[in-house]
Amino acid sequence: MTKKMFDYEMVYSYILNLIETKLNENDKIPSEKYLCEKFDITRATARQGITKLKNEGLIYSKKGSGCFVSMQKIRYELSPFTTFTDQI
């Protein structure tokens, strides 16, 4: 049995795949209009997928210019025997 994917999740997955495979930091992601035409969805639905990416810090928006790929975050893995201060 396969899980049904919501329309906004298709937008999210599509853009996430672009970020991981083709786009670099500060590259522009596809417009809402393009996403609406590609997936035959409403702008509100496209915006919902984009908002999820923004909330995760993967993209950022510039008013009047669109949305762009964020810089990659630095990840720290702390062991139970290491303090945060030791890692820094």
Side-chain angles (χ1 to χ4, degrees):
M1 184 172 159
T2 57
K3 179 185 169 201
K4 172 152 176 27
M5 186 180 277
F6 292 105
D7 291 341
Y8 82 91
E9 292 174 315
M10 288 189 305
V11 172
Y12 171 86
S13 296
Y14 174 74
I15 297 171
L16 184 60
N17 183 51
L18 287 177
I19 291 170
E20 291 173 345
T21 59
K22 295 181 181 167
L23 298 177
N24 297 312
E25 293 175 3
N26 301 313
D27 283 352
K28 189 172 182 175
I29 66 165
S31 68
E32 287 178 5
K33 182 180 177 185
Y34 172 81
L35 295 168
C36 290
E37 292 170 0
K38 179 171 179 60
F39 294 105
D40 192 27
I41 55 174
T42 65
R43 255 184 121 161
T45 303
R47 197 170 293 131
Q48 190 176 4
I50 290 169
T51 299
K52 185 175 179 184
L53 290 159
K54 281 185 195 175
N55 291 342
E56 292 179 5
L58 297 171
I59 62 173
Y60 65 95
S61 60
K62 287 184 184 178
K63 191 171 184 175
S65 298
C67 293
F68 301 84
V69 179
S70 298
M71 293 189 325
Q72 288 191 339
K73 296 178 181 177
I74 299 172
R75 298 181 188 239
Y76 290 106
E77 290 191 29
L78 301 176
S79 73
F81 307 108
T82 306
T83 64
F84 179 75
T85 306
D86 290 340
Q87 282 292 320
I88 298 301

Coordinates of all heavy atoms in Angstrom, one line a residue:
M1 N 0.8 -1.2 0.0 CA 0.0 0.0 0.0 C 0.9 1.2 0.0 O 1.8 1.4 0.8 CB -0.9 0.0 1.2 CG -1.9 1.1 1.3 SD -3.0 0.7 2.7 CE -3.5 2.3 3.0
T2 N 0.7 2.1 -0.9 CA 1.5 3.3 -1.0 C 0.8 4.5 -0.4 O -0.5 4.6 -0.4 CB 1.8 3.7 -2.5 OG1 0.6 3.9 -3.2 CG2 2.6 2.7 -3.2
K3 N 1.5 5.3 0.3 CA 1.0 6.5 0.9 C 0.7 7.6 -0.1 O 1.5 7.9 -0.9 CB 2.0 7.0 2.0 CG 1.5 8.2 2.7 CD 2.6 8.7 3.7 CE 2.2 10.1 4.2 NZ 3.3 10.8 4.7
K4 N -0.5 8.2 0.0 CA -0.8 9.3 -0.9 C 0.0 10.5 -0.5 O 0.0 10.9 0.6 CB -2.3 9.6 -0.9 CG -2.6 10.8 -1.7 CD -4.0 10.9 -2.2 CE -4.4 12.1 -2.9 NZ -3.4 13.0 -3.5
M5 N 0.5 11.2 -1.5 CA 1.3 12.4 -1.3 C 0.4 13.6 -1.6 O -0.3 13.6 -2.6 CB 2.5 12.4 -2.2 CG 3.5 13.5 -1.9 SD 4.9 13.5 -3.0 CE 5.9 12.3 -2.2
F6 N 0.4 14.5 -0.6 CA -0.4 15.8 -0.8 C 0.3 16.6 -1.9 O 1.5 16.4 -2.1 CB -0.5 16.6 0.5 CG -1.3 15.9 1.5 CD1 -0.8 15.3 2.6 CD2 -2.7 15.9 1.4 CE1 -1.5 14.7 3.6 CE2 -3.5 15.3 2.3 CZ -2.9 14.7 3.4
D7 N -0.4 17.4 -2.5 CA 0.1 18.3 -3.6 C 1.3 19.1 -3.2 O 2.3 19.3 -3.8 CB -1.0 19.1 -4.3 CG -2.0 18.3 -5.0 OD1 -1.7 17.2 -5.4 OD2 -3.1 18.8 -5.3
Y8 N 1.2 19.7 -2.0 CA 2.3 20.6 -1.5 C 3.5 19.8 -1.2 O 4.6 20.3 -1.4 CB 1.8 21.4 -0.2 CG 1.9 20.6 1.1 CD1 3.1 20.7 1.8 CD2 0.8 19.9 1.5 CE1 3.2 20.0 3.0 CE2 0.9 19.2 2.7 CZ 2.1 19.3 3.5 OH 2.2 18.6 4.7
E9 N 3.4 18.5 -0.9 CA 4.5 17.6 -0.7 C 5.2 17.3 -2.0 O 6.5 17.1 -2.0 CB 4.1 16.3 0.0 CG 3.6 16.5 1.4 CD 3.1 15.2 2.1 OE1 2.3 14.5 1.4 OE2 3.4 14.9 3.2
M10 N 4.5 17.3 -3.1 CA 5.1 17.1 -4.4 C 6.0 18.3 -4.7 O 7.1 18.1 -5.2 CB 4.1 16.9 -5.5 CG 3.4 15.5 -5.4 SD 2.3 15.2 -6.8 CE 1.2 16.6 -6.9
V11 N 5.5 19.5 -4.4 CA 6.2 20.7 -4.7 C 7.5 20.7 -3.8 O 8.6 20.9 -4.3 CB 5.4 22.0 -4.4 CG1 6.2 23.2 -4.4 CG2 4.2 22.1 -5.3
Y12 N 7.3 20.4 -2.5 CA 8.4 20.3 -1.6 C 9.5 19.3 -2.1 O 10.7 19.7 -2.1 CB 7.9 19.9 -0.2 CG 9.0 19.6 0.8 CD1 9.5 20.6 1.6 CD2 9.4 18.3 1.0 CE1 10.5 20.3 2.5 CE2 10.4 18.0 2.0 CZ 10.9 19.0 2.7 OH 11.9 18.7 3.6
S13 N 9.1 18.1 -2.4 CA 10.0 17.1 -2.9 C 10.7 17.5 -4.2 O 11.9 17.3 -4.3 CB 9.3 15.8 -3.1 OG 8.8 15.3 -1.9
Y14 N 10.0 18.1 -5.1 CA 10.6 18.6 -6.4 C 11.7 19.6 -6.1 O 12.8 19.5 -6.7 CB 9.5 19.1 -7.2 CG 10.0 19.7 -8.5 CD1 10.4 18.9 -9.6 CD2 10.0 21.1 -8.7 CE1 10.9 19.5 -10.7 CE2 10.5 21.7 -9.8 CZ 10.9 20.9 -10.9 OH 11.4 21.5 -12.0
I15 N 11.4 20.6 -5.3 CA 12.4 21.6 -5.0 C 13.5 21.1 -4.2 O 14.7 21.4 -4.5 CB 11.7 22.9 -4.4 CG1 10.7 23.5 -5.3 CG2 12.8 23.9 -4.0 CD1 9.8 24.6 -4.6
L16 N 13.2 20.3 -3.3 CA 14.3 19.6 -2.5 C 15.3 18.9 -3.3 O 16.5 18.9 -3.2 CB 13.7 18.7 -1.4 CG 14.7 18.1 -0.4 CD1 15.5 19.2 0.4 CD2 14.0 17.2 0.6
N17 N 14.7 18.1 -4.3 CA 15.5 17.4 -5.2 C 16.4 18.3 -6.1 O 17.6 18.0 -6.3 CB 14.7 16.5 -6.1 CG 15.5 15.6 -7.1 OD1 16.4 15.0 -6.7 ND2 15.2 15.7 -8.4
L18 N 15.8 19.4 -6.5 CA 16.6 20.4 -7.3 C 17.8 21.0 -6.4 O 18.9 21.1 -6.9 CB 15.7 21.6 -7.7 CG 14.7 21.3 -8.8 CD1 13.9 22.6 -9.1 CD2 15.5 20.9 -10.1
I19 N 17.5 21.3 -5.2 CA 18.5 21.8 -4.3 C 19.6 20.8 -4.1 O 20.8 21.1 -4.1 CB 17.9 22.2 -2.9 CG1 17.0 23.4 -3.1 CG2 19.0 22.5 -1.9 CD1 16.1 23.7 -1.8
E20 N 19.3 19.5 -3.9 CA 20.3 18.5 -3.7 C 21.1 18.1 -4.9 O 22.2 17.6 -4.8 CB 19.6 17.2 -3.1 CG 19.1 17.5 -1.7 CD 18.3 16.3 -1.2 OE1 17.9 15.4 -2.0 OE2 18.0 16.3 0.0
T21 N 20.5 18.3 -6.1 CA 21.2 17.8 -7.3 C 21.6 18.9 -8.3 O 22.7 18.7 -9.0 CB 20.2 16.9 -8.1 OG1 19.0 17.5 -8.5 CG2 19.9 15.6 -7.3
K22 N 20.9 20.0 -8.4 CA 21.2 20.9 -9.5 C 21.5 22.4 -9.0 O 22.3 23.0 -9.6 CB 20.1 21.0 -10.5 CG 19.9 19.7 -11.2 CD 18.8 19.8 -12.2 CE 18.6 18.4 -12.9 NZ 17.4 18.3 -13.7
L23 N 20.9 22.8 -8.0 CA 21.0 24.2 -7.6 C 22.1 24.4 -6.6 O 22.4 23.5 -5.8 CB 19.7 24.7 -7.0 CG 18.5 24.7 -7.9 CD1 17.2 25.2 -7.2 CD2 18.7 25.6 -9.1
N24 N 22.7 25.6 -6.6 CA 23.8 25.9 -5.7 C 23.2 27.0 -4.8 O 22.2 27.6 -4.9 CB 25.0 26.5 -6.4 CG 25.6 25.4 -7.3 OD1 25.9 24.3 -6.9 ND2 25.9 25.8 -8.6
E25 N 24.0 27.4 -3.7 CA 23.7 28.4 -2.8 C 23.4 29.7 -3.6 O 24.0 30.0 -4.6 CB 24.8 28.7 -1.8 CG 25.1 27.6 -0.9 CD 26.3 27.8 0.0 OE1 26.9 28.9 -0.1 OE2 26.6 26.9 0.8
N26 N 22.3 30.4 -3.2 CA 21.9 31.6 -3.8 C 21.3 31.5 -5.2 O 21.0 32.5 -5.8 CB 23.0 32.7 -3.7 CG 23.4 33.0 -2.3 OD1 22.6 33.2 -1.4 ND2 24.7 33.0 -2.1
D27 N 21.1 30.3 -5.7 CA 20.4 30.1 -7.0 C 18.9 30.3 -6.7 O 18.4 29.9 -5.7 CB 20.6 28.7 -7.5 CG 22.0 28.6 -8.2 OD1 22.7 29.6 -8.3 OD2 22.4 27.4 -8.5
K28 N 18.2 30.8 -7.7 CA 16.8 31.0 -7.6 C 16.0 29.7 -7.9 O 16.4 28.9 -8.8 CB 16.3 32.1 -8.7 CG 14.9 32.5 -8.5 CD 14.6 33.7 -9.4 CE 13.2 34.1 -9.2 NZ 12.8 35.3 -9.9
I29 N 15.0 29.4 -7.1 CA 14.2 28.2 -7.3 C 13.1 28.6 -8.3 O 12.8 29.8 -8.6 CB 13.6 27.7 -6.0 CG1 12.6 28.7 -5.4 CG2 14.7 27.4 -5.0 CD1 11.7 28.1 -4.3
P30 N 12.4 27.6 -8.8 CA 11.3 27.9 -9.8 C 10.2 28.8 -9.2 O 9.9 28.7 -8.0 CB 10.8 26.5 -10.2 CG 11.9 25.6 -9.9 CD 12.6 26.2 -8.7
S31 N 9.6 29.6 -10.0 CA 8.5 30.5 -9.5 C 7.2 29.7 -9.1 O 7.0 28.6 -9.6 CB 8.2 31.5 -10.6 OG 7.6 30.8 -11.7
E32 N 6.4 30.4 -8.3 CA 5.1 29.8 -8.0 C 4.3 29.5 -9.3 O 3.6 28.5 -9.4 CB 4.3 30.7 -7.1 CG 4.9 30.8 -5.7 CD 4.1 31.7 -4.8 OE1 3.1 32.3 -5.2 OE2 4.5 31.9 -3.6
K33 N 4.3 30.4 -10.2 CA 3.6 30.2 -11.4 C 4.0 29.0 -12.2 O 3.2 28.2 -12.6 CB 3.8 31.5 -12.3 CG 3.0 31.4 -13.6 CD 3.2 32.6 -14.5 CE 2.5 32.5 -15.8 NZ 2.7 33.6 -16.7
Y34 N 5.3 28.8 -12.3 CA 5.9 27.6 -13.0 C 5.4 26.3 -12.2 O 5.0 25.4 -12.9 CB 7.4 27.7 -13.0 CG 8.0 26.4 -13.5 CD1 8.1 26.1 -14.9 CD2 8.5 25.4 -12.6 CE1 8.7 24.9 -15.3 CE2 9.1 24.2 -13.0 CZ 9.2 24.0 -14.4 OH 9.7 22.8 -14.8
L35 N 5.5 26.3 -10.9 CA 5.1 25.2 -10.1 C 3.6 24.9 -10.3 O 3.2 23.7 -10.4 CB 5.5 25.4 -8.6 CG 7.0 25.5 -8.3 CD1 7.2 26.0 -6.9 CD2 7.7 24.2 -8.6
C36 N 2.8 25.9 -10.3 CA 1.4 25.7 -10.5 C 1.1 25.1 -11.9 O 0.2 24.1 -11.9 CB 0.6 27.1 -10.5 SG 0.6 27.8 -8.8
E37 N 1.8 25.5 -12.9 CA 1.6 24.9 -14.2 C 2.1 23.5 -14.3 O 1.5 22.6 -14.9 CB 2.2 25.8 -15.3 CG 1.5 27.1 -15.5 CD 2.3 28.1 -16.3 OE1 3.4 27.7 -16.8 OE2 1.8 29.2 -16.5
K38 N 3.2 23.2 -13.7 CA 3.9 21.9 -13.7 C 3.0 20.9 -13.0 O 2.9 19.8 -13.5 CB 5.3 22.0 -13.1 CG 6.0 20.6 -13.1 CD 7.4 20.8 -12.7 CE 8.2 19.4 -12.7 NZ 8.2 18.7 -13.9
F39 N 2.5 21.2 -11.9 CA 1.8 20.2 -11.1 C 0.3 20.4 -11.1 O -0.5 19.7 -10.5 CB 2.2 20.3 -9.6 CG 3.7 19.9 -9.4 CD1 4.6 20.8 -9.2 CD2 4.0 18.6 -9.5 CE1 6.0 20.5 -9.0 CE2 5.4 18.2 -9.3 CZ 6.3 19.1 -9.1
D40 N -0.2 21.4 -11.9 CA -1.7 21.7 -12.0 C -2.3 21.9 -10.6 O -3.2 21.1 -10.2 CB -2.4 20.5 -12.8 CG -3.8 20.9 -13.2 OD1 -4.0 22.2 -13.3 OD2 -4.6 20.1 -13.3
I41 N -1.7 22.8 -9.9 CA -2.2 23.1 -8.5 C -2.4 24.6 -8.4 O -2.1 25.4 -9.3 CB -1.1 22.7 -7.5 CG1 0.2 23.3 -7.8 CG2 -1.0 21.2 -7.4 CD1 1.3 23.1 -6.7
T42 N -3.0 25.0 -7.3 CA -3.3 26.4 -7.0 C -2.0 27.0 -6.4 O -1.1 26.4 -5.9 CB -4.4 26.6 -6.0 OG1 -4.0 26.0 -4.7 CG2 -5.7 25.9 -6.4
R43 N -2.0 28.4 -6.5 CA -0.8 29.1 -5.9 C -0.7 28.9 -4.4 O 0.4 28.8 -3.9 CB -1.0 30.6 -6.2 CG -0.1 31.1 -7.3 CD -0.2 32.5 -7.5 NE 1.1 33.1 -7.2 CZ 1.5 34.2 -7.6 NH1 0.6 35.0 -8.3 NH2 2.7 34.7 -7.4
A44 N -1.8 28.8 -3.7 CA -1.8 28.5 -2.3 C -1.1 27.2 -2.0 O -0.3 27.1 -1.0 CB -3.2 28.5 -1.7
T45 N -1.3 26.2 -2.8 CA -0.7 24.9 -2.6 C 0.8 25.0 -2.9 O 1.6 24.4 -2.1 CB -1.4 23.8 -3.5 OG1 -2.8 23.8 -3.2 CG2 -0.8 22.5 -3.3
A46 N 1.2 25.7 -3.9 CA 2.6 25.8 -4.3 C 3.3 26.6 -3.1 O 4.4 26.2 -2.7 CB 2.8 26.6 -5.6
R47 N 2.6 27.6 -2.6 CA 3.2 28.4 -1.5 C 3.4 27.6 -0.3 O 4.3 27.8 0.5 CB 2.3 29.6 -1.3 CG 2.9 30.7 -0.5 CD 2.1 32.0 -0.5 NE 2.0 32.6 -1.8 CZ 0.8 33.0 -2.3 NH1 -0.3 32.9 -1.7 NH2 0.8 33.5 -3.5
Q48 N 2.5 26.6 0.0 CA 2.6 25.8 1.1 C 3.9 24.9 1.1 O 4.5 24.8 2.1 CB 1.3 24.9 1.3 CG 1.2 24.2 2.5 CD -0.1 23.4 2.7 OE1 -0.9 23.3 1.7 NE2 -0.3 22.8 3.8
G49 N 4.2 24.4 -0.1 CA 5.4 23.6 -0.2 C 6.6 24.5 -0.1 O 7.6 24.1 0.6
I50 N 6.6 25.7 -0.6 CA 7.7 26.6 -0.5 C 7.9 27.0 1.0 O 9.0 27.1 1.5 CB 7.5 27.8 -1.4 CG1 7.6 27.4 -2.9 CG2 8.4 28.9 -1.1 CD1 7.2 28.4 -3.9
T51 N 6.8 27.3 1.7 CA 6.8 27.7 3.1 C 7.5 26.6 3.9 O 8.3 26.9 4.8 CB 5.4 28.0 3.6 OG1 4.9 29.1 2.8 CG2 5.5 28.4 5.1
K52 N 7.2 25.3 3.6 CA 7.8 24.2 4.4 C 9.3 24.3 4.2 O 10.1 24.1 5.2 CB 7.2 22.9 3.9 CG 7.8 21.7 4.7 CD 7.1 20.4 4.3 CE 7.7 19.3 5.2 NZ 7.2 18.0 4.8
L53 N 9.8 24.5 3.0 CA 11.2 24.6 2.8 C 11.8 25.8 3.5 O 12.9 25.8 4.0 CB 11.5 24.7 1.3 CG 11.3 23.5 0.5 CD1 11.1 23.8 -1.0 CD2 12.4 22.5 0.7
K54 N 11.1 27.0 3.5 CA 11.6 28.1 4.3 C 11.7 27.8 5.7 O 12.7 28.2 6.4 CB 10.6 29.3 4.1 CG 10.8 30.0 2.8 CD 9.8 31.2 2.8 CE 9.6 31.8 1.4 NZ 8.6 32.9 1.4
N55 N 10.7 27.2 6.3 CA 10.6 26.9 7.7 C 11.8 25.9 8.1 O 12.3 26.0 9.2 CB 9.3 26.2 8.1 CG 8.2 27.2 8.1 OD1 8.4 28.4 8.1 ND2 7.0 26.7 8.0
E56 N 12.3 25.1 7.2 CA 13.4 24.2 7.4 C 14.7 24.9 7.2 O 15.8 24.3 7.3 CB 13.3 23.0 6.6 CG 12.1 22.1 7.0 CD 11.9 20.9 6.2 OE1 12.8 20.6 5.3 OE2 10.9 20.1 6.4
G57 N 14.7 26.2 6.7 CA 15.9 26.9 6.5 C 16.6 26.6 5.2 O 17.8 26.9 5.0
L58 N 16.0 25.9 4.3 CA 16.6 25.5 3.0 C 16.6 26.6 2.0 O 17.4 26.6 1.1 CB 16.0 24.2 2.5 CG 16.1 23.0 3.4 CD1 15.2 21.8 3.0 CD2 17.6 22.6 3.5
I59 N 15.6 27.4 2.0 CA 15.5 28.5 1.1 C 15.1 29.8 1.9 O 14.7 29.8 3.0 CB 14.4 28.3 0.0 CG1 13.0 28.1 0.6 CG2 14.8 27.1 -0.8 CD1 11.9 28.0 -0.4
Y60 N 15.3 30.9 1.2 CA 15.0 32.2 1.7 C 14.3 33.1 0.6 O 14.5 32.8 -0.6 CB 16.2 33.0 2.4 CG 17.2 33.3 1.4 CD1 17.2 34.6 0.8 CD2 18.2 32.4 1.0 CE1 18.2 34.9 -0.2 CE2 19.2 32.8 0.1 CZ 19.2 34.0 -0.5 OH 20.2 34.4 -1.4
S61 N 13.6 34.1 1.0 CA 12.9 34.9 0.0 C 13.5 36.3 0.0 O 13.9 36.8 1.1 CB 11.4 34.9 0.1 OG 11.1 35.4 1.4
K62 N 13.4 37.0 -1.2 CA 13.7 38.4 -1.3 C 12.5 39.0 -1.9 O 12.0 38.6 -2.9 CB 14.9 38.6 -2.2 CG 16.3 38.3 -1.7 CD 17.3 38.6 -2.7 CE 18.7 38.2 -2.3 NZ 19.7 38.6 -3.3
K63 N 12.0 40.0 -1.2 CA 10.7 40.6 -1.6 C 10.9 41.2 -3.1 O 11.8 41.9 -3.4 CB 10.4 41.8 -0.7 CG 9.0 42.3 -0.9 CD 8.6 43.3 0.2 CE 7.1 43.7 0.0 NZ 6.7 44.5 1.1
G64 N 10.0 40.7 -3.9 CA 10.0 41.2 -5.3 C 10.9 40.4 -6.2 O 10.9 40.6 -7.4
S65 N 11.7 39.5 -5.7 CA 12.7 38.8 -6.5 C 12.5 37.3 -6.5 O 12.9 36.6 -7.5 CB 14.1 39.0 -5.9 OG 14.4 40.4 -6.0
G66 N 11.8 36.7 -5.5 CA 11.6 35.3 -5.5 C 12.3 34.6 -4.3 O 12.7 35.3 -3.4
C67 N 12.4 33.3 -4.5 CA 13.1 32.5 -3.4 C 14.4 31.9 -3.9 O 14.5 31.6 -5.1 CB 12.1 31.4 -3.0 SG 10.6 32.0 -2.1
F68 N 15.3 31.8 -3.0 CA 16.7 31.4 -3.3 C 17.1 30.3 -2.4 O 16.7 30.2 -1.2 CB 17.6 32.6 -3.3 CG 17.2 33.7 -4.2 CD1 16.3 34.6 -3.9 CD2 17.8 33.7 -5.5 CE1 15.9 35.6 -4.7 CE2 17.4 34.7 -6.4 CZ 16.5 35.7 -6.0
V69 N 18.1 29.5 -2.8 CA 18.7 28.4 -2.0 C 19.6 29.1 -0.9 O 20.4 29.9 -1.2 CB 19.5 27.4 -2.8 CG1 20.1 26.4 -2.0 CG2 18.7 26.9 -3.9
S70 N 19.3 28.6 0.4 CA 20.1 29.1 1.5 C 21.5 28.5 1.5 O 21.7 27.4 0.9 CB 19.4 28.8 2.8 OG 18.2 29.4 2.9
M71 N 22.4 29.1 2.3 CA 23.7 28.5 2.5 C 23.5 27.2 3.4 O 22.6 27.2 4.2 CB 24.6 29.4 3.2 CG 25.0 30.6 2.4 SD 26.3 31.7 3.1 CE 26.0 31.7 4.8
Q72 N 24.3 26.2 3.2 CA 24.2 25.0 4.0 C 24.6 25.3 5.4 O 25.5 26.0 5.7 CB 25.1 23.9 3.4 CG 24.6 23.3 2.1 CD 25.3 22.1 1.7 OE1 26.4 21.8 2.1 NE2 24.7 21.3 0.9
K73 N 23.9 24.7 6.3 CA 24.2 24.8 7.7 C 25.3 23.9 8.1 O 25.5 22.8 7.6 CB 22.9 24.5 8.5 CG 21.8 25.4 8.2 CD 20.6 25.0 9.0 CE 19.4 26.0 8.7 NZ 18.2 25.6 9.4
I74 N 26.0 24.3 9.1 CA 27.1 23.5 9.7 C 26.4 22.6 10.7 O 25.6 23.0 11.5 CB 28.2 24.4 10.4 CG1 28.8 25.3 9.4 CG2 29.2 23.5 11.1 CD1 29.8 26.3 10.0
R75 N 26.7 21.3 10.6 CA 26.1 20.3 11.5 C 27.2 19.8 12.5 O 28.3 19.5 12.1 CB 25.6 19.2 10.7 CG 24.5 19.6 9.8 CD 23.9 18.4 9.0 NE 23.0 18.9 8.0 CZ 21.7 18.6 8.0 NH1 21.2 17.8 8.9 NH2 20.9 19.1 7.1
Y76 N 26.8 19.8 13.7 CA 27.7 19.2 14.7 C 27.0 18.0 15.3 O 25.8 17.9 15.6 CB 27.9 20.2 15.9 CG 28.7 21.4 15.6 CD1 28.1 22.6 15.4 CD2 30.1 21.3 15.5 CE1 28.9 23.7 15.1 CE2 30.8 22.4 15.1 CZ 30.2 23.6 14.9 OH 31.0 24.7 14.6
E77 N 27.8 16.9 15.5 CA 27.3 15.7 16.1 C 28.0 15.6 17.5 O 29.3 15.5 17.5 CB 27.5 14.5 15.3 CG 26.7 14.5 14.1 CD 26.7 13.2 13.3 OE1 26.9 12.1 14.0 OE2 26.5 13.2 12.1
L78 N 27.3 15.7 18.5 CA 27.9 15.6 19.9 C 27.7 14.2 20.4 O 26.6 13.6 20.3 CB 27.2 16.6 20.8 CG 27.2 18.1 20.4 CD1 26.4 18.9 21.3 CD2 28.7 18.6 20.3
S79 N 28.7 13.7 21.0 CA 28.6 12.4 21.6 C 28.2 12.6 23.1 O 28.3 13.8 23.6 CB 30.0 11.7 21.6 OG 30.9 12.3 22.5
P80 N 27.7 11.6 23.8 CA 27.2 11.8 25.1 C 28.4 12.2 26.1 O 28.2 12.7 27.2 CB 26.6 10.5 25.5 CG 27.0 9.5 24.5 CD 27.5 10.3 23.3
F81 N 29.6 12.0 25.6 CA 30.8 12.3 26.5 C 31.5 13.6 26.1 O 32.5 13.9 26.7 CB 31.8 11.1 26.4 CG 31.1 9.8 26.7 CD1 30.9 8.9 25.7 CD2 30.7 9.5 28.0 CE1 30.3 7.7 25.9 CE2 30.1 8.3 28.2 CZ 29.9 7.4 27.2
T82 N 30.9 14.3 25.2 CA 31.5 15.6 24.8 C 30.6 16.7 25.1 O 29.4 16.6 24.8 CB 31.8 15.5 23.3 OG1 32.6 14.4 23.0 CG2 32.6 16.8 22.8
T83 N 31.1 17.8 25.6 CA 30.3 18.9 25.9 C 30.3 19.8 24.6 O 31.2 19.8 23.8 CB 30.8 19.8 27.1 OG1 32.1 20.3 26.8 CG2 30.9 18.9 28.3
F84 N 29.3 20.7 24.6 CA 29.2 21.6 23.5 C 30.4 22.5 23.4 O 31.0 22.8 22.4 CB 27.9 22.5 23.6 CG 27.8 23.5 22.5 CD1 27.4 23.1 21.3 CD2 28.0 24.8 22.7 CE1 27.2 24.0 20.2 CE2 27.9 25.8 21.7 CZ 27.5 25.4 20.5
T85 N 30.9 23.0 24.6 CA 32.1 23.8 24.6 C 33.3 23.1 24.1 O 34.1 23.7 23.3 CB 32.4 24.3 26.1 OG1 31.2 24.8 26.6 CG2 33.5 25.3 26.2
D86 N 33.5 21.8 24.3 CA 34.6 21.1 23.8 C 34.5 21.0 22.3 O 35.5 21.1 21.6 CB 34.6 19.6 24.3 CG 35.0 19.6 25.8 OD1 35.6 20.6 26.3 OD2 34.7 18.6 26.4
Q87 N 33.3 20.9 21.7 CA 33.2 20.8 20.3 C 33.5 22.1 19.6 O 34.1 22.1 18.5 CB 31.7 20.4 19.9 CG 31.4 19.0 20.0 CD 32.2 18.2 19.0 OE1 32.3 18.5 17.9 NE2 32.7 17.0 19.5
I88 N 33.2 23.2 20.2 CA 33.4 24.5 19.6 C 34.9 24.8 19.7 O 35.6 25.2 18.9 CB 32.6 25.7 20.3 CG1 31.1 25.4 20.1 CG2 33.0 27.0 19.8 CD1 30.7 25.3 18.7

